[in-house]
Amino acid sequence: MAAKEKSGGTDLAKNAPGLMATVEELLLLVEVVESGGYRAASERTGIPLSSMSRRVSALEDRLGVCVIMRNSRRFEVTDIGRQLFEQGIKIREAAHAAVSVAQDNAKEPAGDLRIACPMALSTLLVCSVAVRFGCQYPRVRLFLSTTRGTPEALAQNFDIVIHPSSQALPDSDVVAQQLVQAPYGLYASPQLLQGRESSDEPSALAGLDSIGWNSGESQTCWTLQDPQGRTEELRLSVRFVTDNLLAVKEAAIAGLGITRLPTALAAPCMAEGSLCRVLPRWSLAPMTIYALYPSRRRLSLAGQEFLQWAKPALQALVDGSTEALR
């Protein structure tokens, strides 16, 4: 029995270098597939393009399979490559879970924390929170990125995705924690409304253009509600379209149309006179801001602590206070 145990230990030691290399290469394969190519994966991870390509090729040679069909025109993952990619995700999640156990046991936030959120939300709030959080917890290495792609896909690549939505989120394997509800209103430049008859009825805005958020829109349709609960739909032609909330604000200031903005984002512009509230008696549905993270992986202590910081700061912004941002 002792001889067998010794033999098994010797075999493990003998195979360990190759096993560790395979694990590393599987993790690199995950990065390449999720990024959609070697160059994008290199930019995201900071690993040189040549090194990443060489390591994935080494994985193919070691296992005797082709995982990626690649040439100058296309990038395609093979069937076996897709299976190995799925196994690589499991390895990465297991590693994250192991690190989280150790970090939580230390009772102090530590390790890497990857957060993604829209650019406007990052500029308004999350960047400030992240900087203060980094100063408070020097053992946390924080990565703050602006969002690209669907929030569900992002939540597989980041620890936390801050995601605003005006509708209930669909069922998925992603945990959605509500942080705050942000009120919205309609805004336009004073010059755009100059010379028009003053009225608080939606029909008075007929003929004006709007600023849209969806490239497929030729018209905006906003559902408005007055204090008595009466609802009306306001439909306006779209003149300018962007998916960047900060660009929406700038377009409104320039007089390109009426738009929907968070009241917190519009408040400084109203104070300086570059924007004014349109139909102030009427309200729009608020935007709910969520924190998304994968249900398969327990949120680390650093992630939990960050959300504890972010929630009151978001609420302070919505309430027009900057106390939580200091």
Coordinates of all heavy atoms in Angstrom, one line a residue, residues 152-206:
E152 N -26.1 40.5 -19.3 CA -26.0 39.1 -18.9 C -24.6 38.6 -19.3 O -24.0 37.8 -18.5 CB -27.1 38.3 -19.5 CG -28.5 38.6 -18.9 CD -29.1 39.8 -19.5 OE1 -28.6 40.4 -20.5 OE2 -30.2 40.2 -19.0
A153 N -24.2 38.9 -20.5 CA -22.9 38.4 -20.9 C -21.8 39.1 -20.1 O -20.8 38.5 -19.8 CB -22.7 38.7 -22.4
L154 N -22.0 40.4 -19.9 CA -21.0 41.1 -19.1 C -20.8 40.5 -17.7 O -19.7 40.5 -17.1 CB -21.3 42.6 -19.0 CG -21.1 43.4 -20.2 CD1 -21.9 44.7 -20.1 CD2 -19.7 43.7 -20.5
A155 N -21.9 40.1 -17.1 CA -21.9 39.6 -15.7 C -21.1 38.3 -15.6 O -20.7 37.9 -14.5 CB -23.3 39.4 -15.2
Q156 N -20.8 37.6 -16.8 CA -20.0 36.4 -16.8 C -18.5 36.8 -16.8 O -17.7 36.0 -16.4 CB -20.3 35.6 -18.0 CG -21.8 35.2 -18.1 CD -22.3 34.5 -16.9 OE1 -21.7 33.7 -16.2 NE2 -23.6 34.9 -16.6
N157 N -18.2 38.0 -17.2 CA -16.8 38.5 -17.3 C -16.4 39.4 -16.2 O -15.2 39.7 -16.0 CB -16.6 39.2 -18.6 CG -16.9 38.3 -19.8 OD1 -16.7 37.1 -19.7 ND2 -17.4 38.9 -20.9
F158 N -17.3 40.0 -15.5 CA -17.1 41.0 -14.4 C -17.7 40.4 -13.1 O -18.6 39.6 -13.1 CB -17.6 42.3 -14.7 CG -17.0 43.0 -15.9 CD1 -17.4 42.8 -17.2 CD2 -15.9 43.9 -15.7 CE1 -16.7 43.4 -18.3 CE2 -15.2 44.5 -16.7 CZ -15.6 44.3 -18.0
D159 N -17.2 40.9 -12.0 CA -17.7 40.6 -10.7 C -19.1 41.3 -10.5 O -20.0 40.7 -10.0 CB -16.7 40.9 -9.6 CG -15.4 40.2 -9.7 OD1 -15.4 38.9 -9.7 OD2 -14.4 40.8 -9.9
I160 N -19.1 42.5 -10.9 CA -20.4 43.3 -10.7 C -20.6 44.1 -12.0 O -19.6 44.7 -12.5 CB -20.3 44.3 -9.5 CG1 -20.1 43.5 -8.2 CG2 -21.5 45.2 -9.4 CD1 -19.8 44.4 -7.0
V161 N -21.8 44.2 -12.5 CA -22.2 45.0 -13.6 C -23.3 46.0 -13.1 O -24.3 45.5 -12.6 CB -22.7 44.2 -14.8 CG1 -23.2 45.2 -15.9 CG2 -21.6 43.3 -15.4
I162 N -23.0 47.3 -13.1 CA -24.1 48.3 -12.7 C -24.9 48.5 -14.0 O -24.3 49.0 -15.0 CB -23.4 49.6 -12.2 CG1 -22.4 49.3 -11.1 CG2 -24.5 50.5 -11.7 CD1 -22.9 48.6 -9.9
H163 N -26.2 48.3 -13.9 CA -27.0 48.3 -15.1 C -28.3 49.0 -14.9 O -29.1 48.6 -14.0 CB -27.3 46.9 -15.6 CG -28.2 46.8 -16.7 ND1 -27.9 47.2 -18.0 CD2 -29.5 46.3 -16.8 CE1 -28.9 47.0 -18.8 NE2 -29.9 46.5 -18.2
P164 N -28.6 50.1 -15.6 CA -29.9 50.8 -15.4 C -30.9 50.2 -16.4 O -30.6 49.8 -17.5 CB -29.6 52.2 -15.8 CG -28.4 52.1 -16.8 CD -27.7 50.9 -16.4
S165 N -32.2 50.1 -16.0 CA -33.2 49.5 -16.8 C -34.6 50.1 -16.4 O -34.9 50.3 -15.3 CB -33.3 48.0 -16.6 OG -34.4 47.4 -17.4
S166 N -35.3 50.5 -17.5 CA -36.7 51.0 -17.2 C -37.7 50.0 -17.2 O -38.9 50.2 -16.9 CB -37.0 52.0 -18.4 OG -37.0 51.4 -19.6
Q167 N -37.3 48.7 -17.4 CA -38.3 47.6 -17.4 C -37.7 46.5 -16.4 O -36.6 46.5 -16.1 CB -38.5 47.0 -18.8 CG -39.0 48.0 -19.8 CD -39.1 47.5 -21.2 OE1 -38.5 46.4 -21.5 NE2 -39.8 48.1 -22.1
A168 N -38.6 45.6 -16.0 CA -38.2 44.5 -15.2 C -37.3 43.6 -16.0 O -37.4 43.4 -17.2 CB -39.4 43.7 -14.8
L169 N -36.2 43.1 -15.4 CA -35.2 42.3 -16.1 C -35.7 40.9 -16.3 O -36.4 40.4 -15.5 CB -33.9 42.3 -15.3 CG -33.2 43.6 -15.0 CD1 -31.9 43.4 -14.2 CD2 -32.8 44.2 -16.4
P170 N -35.4 40.3 -17.5 CA -35.9 39.0 -17.7 C -35.2 38.0 -16.8 O -34.2 38.2 -16.3 CB -35.5 38.7 -19.2 CG -34.3 39.7 -19.4 CD -34.6 40.9 -18.6
D171 N -35.9 36.8 -16.6 CA -35.3 35.7 -15.8 C -34.0 35.3 -16.4 O -33.9 35.1 -17.7 CB -36.3 34.5 -15.7 CG -37.5 34.9 -14.9 OD1 -37.4 35.8 -14.1 OD2 -38.5 34.2 -15.1
S172 N -33.0 35.1 -15.6 CA -31.7 34.6 -16.1 C -31.0 34.0 -14.9 O -31.5 34.0 -13.8 CB -30.9 35.7 -16.8 OG -30.4 36.6 -15.8
D173 N -29.8 33.5 -15.2 CA -29.0 32.9 -14.1 C -28.1 34.0 -13.4 O -27.2 33.7 -12.7 CB -28.1 31.7 -14.6 CG -27.1 32.2 -15.6 OD1 -27.2 33.3 -16.1 OD2 -26.2 31.4 -16.0
V174 N -28.4 35.3 -13.7 CA -27.7 36.4 -13.1 C -28.5 37.0 -12.0 O -29.7 37.2 -12.1 CB -27.4 37.5 -14.2 CG1 -26.8 38.7 -13.6 CG2 -26.5 36.9 -15.3
V175 N -27.9 37.2 -10.9 CA -28.5 37.9 -9.7 C -28.7 39.4 -10.0 O -27.7 40.0 -10.5 CB -27.7 37.7 -8.4 CG1 -28.4 38.4 -7.3 CG2 -27.6 36.2 -8.1
A176 N -29.9 39.9 -9.8 CA -30.1 41.3 -10.0 C -30.5 42.0 -8.7 O -31.6 41.7 -8.2 CB -31.2 41.6 -11.1
Q177 N -29.6 42.7 -8.1 CA -29.9 43.4 -6.8 C -30.2 44.9 -7.1 O -29.4 45.6 -7.7 CB -28.7 43.3 -5.9 CG -28.9 44.1 -4.6 CD -27.6 44.0 -3.7 OE1 -26.8 43.2 -3.9 NE2 -27.5 45.0 -2.8
Q178 N -31.4 45.3 -6.8 CA -31.8 46.7 -7.0 C -31.1 47.6 -6.0 O -31.1 47.4 -4.8 CB -33.4 46.8 -6.8 CG -33.9 48.2 -7.0 CD -35.4 48.3 -6.9 OE1 -36.1 47.4 -7.4 NE2 -35.9 49.4 -6.3
L179 N -30.5 48.6 -6.6 CA -29.8 49.6 -5.8 C -30.6 50.9 -5.5 O -30.6 51.3 -4.4 CB -28.5 50.0 -6.5 CG -27.5 48.9 -6.8 CD1 -26.2 49.4 -7.5 CD2 -27.0 48.2 -5.4
V180 N -31.2 51.4 -6.6 CA -32.0 52.7 -6.4 C -32.8 52.9 -7.6 O -32.6 52.3 -8.7 CB -31.0 53.8 -6.2 CG1 -30.2 54.1 -7.5 CG2 -31.6 55.1 -5.7
Q181 N -33.9 53.7 -7.5 CA -34.7 54.1 -8.6 C -34.4 55.6 -8.9 O -34.5 56.4 -7.9 CB -36.2 53.9 -8.3 CG -36.6 52.5 -8.4 CD -38.1 52.3 -8.5 OE1 -38.9 53.1 -7.9 NE2 -38.6 51.4 -9.3
A182 N -34.1 55.9 -10.1 CA -33.7 57.3 -10.5 C -34.9 57.9 -11.3 O -35.3 57.4 -12.3 CB -32.5 57.2 -11.3
P183 N -35.4 59.0 -10.8 CA -36.5 59.7 -11.6 C -36.0 60.4 -12.8 O -34.8 60.8 -12.9 CB -37.0 60.8 -10.6 CG -35.9 61.0 -9.6 CD -35.1 59.7 -9.5
Y184 N -36.8 60.4 -13.9 CA -36.5 61.0 -15.2 C -37.5 62.1 -15.5 O -38.6 62.1 -15.0 CB -36.5 59.9 -16.3 CG -35.2 59.2 -16.5 CD1 -34.6 58.5 -15.4 CD2 -34.6 59.2 -17.7 CE1 -33.4 57.8 -15.6 CE2 -33.4 58.5 -17.9 CZ -32.8 57.8 -16.9 OH -31.6 57.2 -17.0
G185 N -37.1 63.0 -16.4 CA -38.0 64.0 -16.9 C -37.6 64.3 -18.3 O -36.6 63.8 -18.9
L186 N -38.5 65.2 -18.9 CA -38.2 65.6 -20.3 C -37.5 67.0 -20.2 O -38.0 67.9 -19.5 CB -39.5 65.7 -21.1 CG -40.2 64.4 -21.4 CD1 -41.5 64.6 -22.2 CD2 -39.3 63.4 -22.1
Y187 N -36.5 67.2 -21.1 CA -35.7 68.4 -21.1 C -35.4 68.9 -22.5 O -35.3 68.1 -23.4 CB -34.4 68.2 -20.3 CG -34.6 67.8 -18.9 CD1 -34.7 66.5 -18.5 CD2 -34.7 68.8 -17.9 CE1 -34.9 66.2 -17.1 CE2 -34.9 68.5 -16.5 CZ -35.0 67.1 -16.2 OH -35.3 66.8 -14.9
A188 N -35.2 70.2 -22.6 CA -34.8 70.8 -23.9 C -34.1 72.1 -23.6 O -34.1 72.6 -22.5 CB -36.0 71.0 -24.8
S189 N -33.4 72.6 -24.6 CA -32.7 73.9 -24.5 C -33.8 75.0 -24.6 O -34.8 74.8 -25.3 CB -31.7 74.1 -25.6 OG -32.3 74.3 -26.8
P190 N -33.6 76.0 -23.8 CA -34.5 77.2 -23.9 C -34.7 77.7 -25.3 O -35.8 78.1 -25.7 CB -33.9 78.2 -23.0 CG -33.0 77.5 -22.0 CD -32.5 76.3 -22.9
Q191 N -33.7 77.7 -26.1 CA -33.7 78.2 -27.5 C -34.7 77.4 -28.3 O -35.4 77.9 -29.2 CB -32.3 78.2 -28.1 CG -31.4 79.2 -27.5 CD -30.8 78.8 -26.2 OE1 -30.9 77.6 -25.8 NE2 -30.3 79.7 -25.4
L192 N -34.7 76.0 -28.1 CA -35.6 75.2 -28.9 C -37.1 75.5 -28.6 O -37.9 75.4 -29.5 CB -35.4 73.7 -28.5 CG -36.2 72.7 -29.3 CD1 -35.7 72.6 -30.7 CD2 -36.1 71.3 -28.6
L193 N -37.4 75.9 -27.4 CA -38.8 76.2 -27.0 C -39.2 77.7 -27.2 O -40.3 78.1 -27.0 CB -39.1 75.8 -25.6 CG -38.8 74.3 -25.3 CD1 -39.0 74.1 -23.8 CD2 -39.7 73.4 -26.1
Q194 N -38.2 78.5 -27.6 CA -38.4 80.0 -27.7 C -39.4 80.3 -28.8 O -39.4 79.7 -29.9 CB -37.1 80.7 -28.0 CG -37.2 82.2 -27.8 CD -35.8 82.8 -28.0 OE1 -34.8 82.2 -28.5 NE2 -35.6 84.0 -27.5
G195 N -40.4 81.1 -28.4 CA -41.4 81.5 -29.4 C -42.6 80.6 -29.4 O -43.6 80.9 -30.1
R196 N -42.6 79.5 -28.8 CA -43.7 78.6 -28.7 C -44.7 78.9 -27.6 O -44.2 79.4 -26.6 CB -43.3 77.1 -28.6 CG -42.4 76.6 -29.7 CD -42.1 75.1 -29.5 NE -43.3 74.3 -29.7 CZ -43.7 73.8 -30.9 NH1 -43.0 74.1 -32.0 NH2 -44.8 73.0 -30.9
E197 N -45.9 78.7 -27.9 CA -47.0 79.0 -26.9 C -46.7 78.2 -25.6 O -46.5 77.0 -25.7 CB -48.3 78.7 -27.4 CG -49.5 79.0 -26.4 CD -50.8 78.6 -27.0 OE1 -50.9 78.3 -28.2 OE2 -51.8 78.7 -26.2
S198 N -46.7 78.8 -24.4 CA -46.5 78.1 -23.2 C -47.7 77.3 -22.8 O -48.9 77.8 -22.8 CB -46.3 79.1 -22.1 OG -46.1 78.5 -20.8
S199 N -47.5 76.0 -22.7 CA -48.6 75.1 -22.3 C -48.0 73.9 -21.6 O -46.9 73.5 -21.9 CB -49.3 74.6 -23.6 OG -50.3 73.6 -23.3
D200 N -48.8 73.3 -20.7 CA -48.4 72.1 -20.0 C -49.1 70.9 -20.5 O -49.2 69.9 -19.8 CB -48.6 72.3 -18.5 CG -47.8 71.4 -17.7 OD1 -46.6 71.0 -18.1 OD2 -48.2 70.9 -16.6
E201 N -49.5 70.9 -21.8 CA -50.2 69.8 -22.4 C -49.2 69.1 -23.4 O -48.6 69.9 -24.2 CB -51.5 70.1 -23.0 CG -52.6 70.5 -22.1 CD -52.9 69.3 -21.2 OE1 -53.0 68.2 -21.7 OE2 -53.2 69.6 -20.0
P202 N -49.1 67.8 -23.4 CA -48.2 67.2 -24.4 C -48.5 67.5 -25.8 O -47.5 67.6 -26.6 CB -48.5 65.7 -24.2 CG -48.9 65.6 -22.7 CD -49.7 66.9 -22.5
S203 N -49.7 67.8 -26.2 CA -50.1 68.2 -27.6 C -49.4 69.4 -28.0 O -49.2 69.7 -29.2 CB -51.6 68.3 -27.7 OG -52.1 69.3 -26.8
A204 N -48.9 70.3 -27.1 CA -48.3 71.6 -27.4 C -46.9 71.4 -28.0 O -46.3 72.3 -28.6 CB -48.2 72.5 -26.2
L205 N -46.3 70.2 -27.9 CA -45.0 69.9 -28.4 C -45.0 69.3 -29.8 O -44.0 68.9 -30.3 CB -44.3 68.9 -27.4 CG -44.1 69.4 -26.0 CD1 -43.4 68.3 -25.1 CD2 -43.4 70.7 -25.9
A206 N -46.2 69.2 -30.4 CA -46.3 68.6 -31.7 C -45.4 69.3 -32.7 O -45.3 70.6 -32.7 CB -47.7 68.6 -32.2

